[in-house]
Amino acid sequence: MDDLRDKYLTLINDAGDEAALEELRVQAVGKKGEISLQMRSLGKMSPEERQVAGPALNALKDEINAALAAKKSALADAALDARLATEWLDVTLPARPQRQGSIHPISQVTEEVSAIFADMGFAVAEGPQIDTDWYVFDALNIPSHHPARAEMDTFYMSRAEGDDRAPHILRTHTSPVQIRSMEKQGAPIRIIAPGRVYRADYDQTHTPMFHQVEGLCIGKDVSMANLKWCLEEFVKAFFEVDHVELRFRASHFPFTEPSAEVDIQCSWENGVLKVGEGDDWMEILGSGMVHPKVLENAGVDPKEYQGFAFGIGIDRLAMLKYGIPDLRAFFDSDLRWLKHYGFTPLDVPTLHGGLSK
């Protein structure tokens, strides 16, 4: 039995790979292995002989199995060391930093505005970007001769010759959503309508496509005082100031009466806008009490209900809050402008292995 032990321990120690080790396992402790056959012969022995040979064979089997397991582990470690020695990758190096993008400033401001008005009970309403001239102009009390209805200011959809349907246009404001919401929900109602709008204009402060949010609040006792409070609370929350003065200047919009442009108190220091302090004023939005004809056109009785509406340029708010001087920077293919103001898009790998900026 000692010869059998020495034989297999030597063979196990000299095994060069796991295949050779598995072959030795079968020879030694497999079903027909030498040690297994020795254990089967115990039945032919006398009780006295079994009492001596049985424990010795069990101990031998355990020792061989332990030697097999230790050698297998040593072979696996040696194989891993050999693999690591031939590979160029250093797995101990720290991972490369992952570039992270950020939300686009227009989307961020839209979310900020929606959250602020949600705290004041305004729901978000949406509507089609291509609409009829009824919803975009007529229902809002905008007369047929108004300059906004000219083709030089508004994008009209092409019509085939003989097509007598009402003109469809790219909406010039989100006010049509107010009409559709009142038609669907009636009064009282309190909504904001953020979204894309389109006008035929392009310069540093105008683009053919931009974003607006318009608000509507209709009830039986809604007044200009409510409008003033609502806008003051919004400006303070959006620009993160504790106090701000608003100035309402008389103006004219076909869909509100009375109408007012709203200015905020501000100052400019080294090109940086500071809201709520200083002696300067800056116009940020238009507002007013909803015209009775607009309520009638939306199916709301103006003798029973009244309310206010306002419209704010989301792009303009983003420019003011984040100090972006050119509206076109939001849509320019050169994204270095947005990176300069803290809005970094994700870098996208190209087919050539570089990064598209």
Side-chain angles (χ1 to χ4, degrees), residues 289-308:
M289 298 297 291
V290 179
H291 198 290
K293 289 186 178 179
V294 174
L295 295 176
E296 283 183 0
N297 292 335
V300 174
D301 186 356
K303 295 180 180 179
E304 185 176 1
Y305 292 100
Q306 62 186 31
F308 62 77

Side-chain angles (χ1 to χ4, degrees), residues 63-317:
E63 186 176 2
I64 296 300
N65 280 328
L68 287 168
K71 185 64 177 181
K72 184 176 181 179
S73 177
L75 288 172
D77 291 341
L80 178 60
D81 290 340
R83 178 184 170 190
L84 292 176
T86 59
E87 291 182 350
W88 63 268
L89 179 64
D90 185 354
V91 296
T92 65
L93 287 174
R96 294 176 180 175
Q98 295 288 329
R99 291 185 63 86
Q100 291 185 339
S102 62
I103 190 172
H104 192 280
I106 298 300
S107 301
Q108 179 166 315
V109 169
T110 301
E111 292 182 5
E112 291 177 18
V113 170
S114 299
I116 292 170
F117 281 110
D119 288 341
M120 290 187 275
F122 286 78
V124 175
E126 297 180 333
Q129 297 181 40
I130 300 176
D131 216 332
T132 66
D133 63 348
W134 163 256
Y135 285 104
V136 177
F137 295 127
D138 294 331
L140 293 165
N141 197 40
I142 299 176
S144 59
H145 61 271
H146 195 282
R149 303 184 73 149
E151 290 188 0
M152 63 180 296
D153 289 328
T154 298
F155 294 105
Y156 283 83
M157 308 302 292
S158 177
R159 279 279 188 264
E161 187 176 352
D163 189 341
D164 297 327
R165 289 180 298 167
H168 278 72
I169 58 181
L170 294 177
R171 65 185 184 187
T172 59
H173 43 197
T174 58
S175 298
V177 180
Q178 299 179 9
I179 302 297
R180 291 180 176 275
S181 298
M182 285 189 285
E183 286 180 338
K184 181 179 179 179
Q185 182 178 331
I189 187 173
R190 195 182 304 181
I191 62 163
I192 60 168
R196 295 186 183 91
V197 295
Y198 307 86
R199 296 179 189 175
D201 207 350
Y202 187 69
D203 58 34
Q204 186 175 0
T205 58
H206 300 84
T207 55
M209 186 275 290
F210 56 105
H211 302 78
Q212 279 189 342
V213 57
E214 303 203 10
L216 175 71
C217 179
I218 302 296
K220 293 187 176 182
D221 300 312
V222 178
S223 68
M224 285 286 289
N226 302 127
L227 170 64
K228 182 176 184 292
W229 175 87
C230 180
L231 295 180
E232 284 178 346
E233 292 301 305
F234 165 72
V235 172
K236 288 190 292 184
F238 182 77
F239 289 104
E240 301 176 22
V241 295
D242 295 327
H243 176 76
V244 66
E245 292 288 340
L246 297 188
R247 182 173 67 181
F248 285 70
R249 290 181 292 106
S251 185
H252 170 73
F253 304 115
F255 31 80
T256 53
E257 181 60 38
S259 303
E261 303 271 6
V262 179
D263 305 331
I264 57 173
Q265 178 192 19
C266 66
S267 67
W268 293 90
E269 293 184 11
N270 299 320
V272 177
L273 173 69
K274 293 189 175 181
V275 174
E277 60 181 64
D279 299 323
D280 294 330
W281 296 90
M282 180 173 56
E283 183 269 325
I284 61 166
L285 61 91
S287 65
M289 298 297 291
V290 179
H291 198 290
K293 289 186 178 179
V294 174
L295 295 176
E296 283 183 0
N297 292 335
V300 174
D301 186 356
K303 295 180 180 179
E304 185 176 1
Y305 292 100
Q306 62 186 31
F308 62 77
F310 57 85
I312 312 172
I314 293 176
D315 314 66
R316 178 167 170 76
L317 287 176

